[in-house]
Amino acid sequence: MSAFDYLAVLLSIVLGLGITQMLTGFAALARARNRARLYWPALMQMAVVFLIQVQVWWALFGLRSVTHWTFAQFLVVLMQPVTVYMMAAFITPDFAGEGEVDLRQAYFREARWFFGALVATLLVSIAKSLVIYGQLPRPVDLAGHAAFLAAAITGMISRSDTVHKVLAVVSFVIYSAYIALLFVQLPN
């Protein structure tokens, strides 16, 4: 077993917990559909977080070529699945109890935390590149980070329904394009 194989176990567990959070959230929403007042931007952001989790898993395969690991390197790498998990926890509605669940109200209650976790994820991603490879991500990757950072800061600041509807669509389109440009094949 290589060092990466060993370290990937914990990374996989944390990513698996995040994916479980999202799938459980979608299932809870389906089961509580009679008492849920839907808000499509929240659903779209849930889909984006699911994509992010899968893309992070996919991209982490590129770290298999790293043969020497320090605890600090591993901690930075581990923080990415942790912050993505936090995004999942904040965007997934809570259906505990019996009353009606208003997804719009839940979304705006957690929006600052959700977008804050996205900012943390982006900063950790850049730090990961610096700590592991000693350099910033490639320019196109860095441009994607900048676009996501602008969207996240906008989401943290704005309370406008229209802004958040636009952000949901833009987030989905930009993240899909980001994956199509950079992650079509497993990293070499």
Side-chain angles (χ1 to χ4, degrees):
M1 173 183 284
S2 72
F4 177 74
D5 293 336
Y6 176 75
L7 299 174
V9 172
L10 184 56
L11 299 172
S12 298
I13 289 169
V14 177
L15 279 167
L17 288 171
I19 290 171
T20 299
Q21 175 76 27
M22 295 310 304
L23 296 177
T24 301
F26 282 118
L29 180 60
R31 284 192 305 272
R33 64 190 168 277
N34 292 335
R35 60 185 185 97
R37 197 168 349 159
L38 297 180
Y39 183 63
W40 67 263
L43 299 175
M44 188 167 274
Q45 292 290 17
M46 287 173 70
V48 170
V49 172
F50 181 78
L51 277 176
I52 290 170
Q53 290 171 333
V54 173
Q55 180 272 323
V56 167
W57 188 300
W58 185 267
L60 286 175
F61 186 73
L63 296 176
R64 76 191 181 293
S65 62
V66 177
T67 56
H68 176 75
W69 285 89
T70 66
F71 186 77
Q73 288 174 316
F74 178 65
L75 194 57
V76 170
V77 171
L78 178 62
M79 289 311 298
Q80 192 172 24
V82 167
T83 57
V84 174
Y85 173 84
M86 296 309 295
M87 289 174 62
F90 292 129
I91 198 65
T92 307
D94 183 9
F95 288 98
E98 296 297 319
E100 181 180 79
V101 177
D102 183 341
L103 263 62
R104 183 185 185 285
Q105 181 183 27
Y107 174 85
F108 279 102
R109 183 181 62 242
E110 304 297 342
R112 284 194 174 106
W113 286 95
F114 169 70
F115 287 107
L118 175 55
V119 168
T121 300
L122 294 165
L123 295 177
V124 166
S125 177
I126 292 169
K128 178 184 74 175
S129 192
L130 288 169
V131 168
I132 299 293
Y133 302 112
Q135 62 189 24
L136 289 171
R138 296 178 300 171
V140 68
D141 195 359
L142 204 52
H145 281 70
F148 303 136
L149 188 59
I153 291 170
T154 301
M156 287 177 69
I157 294 170
S158 177
R159 292 285 149 245
S160 166
D161 188 59
T162 302
V163 167
H164 282 271
K165 287 178 177 176
V166 169
L167 273 178
V169 173
V170 167
S171 294
F172 186 81
V173 169
I174 290 175
Y175 210 78
S176 297
Y178 178 77
I179 290 170
L181 285 171
L182 298 173
F183 297 100
V184 174
Q185 297 179 7
L186 276 176
N188 292 330

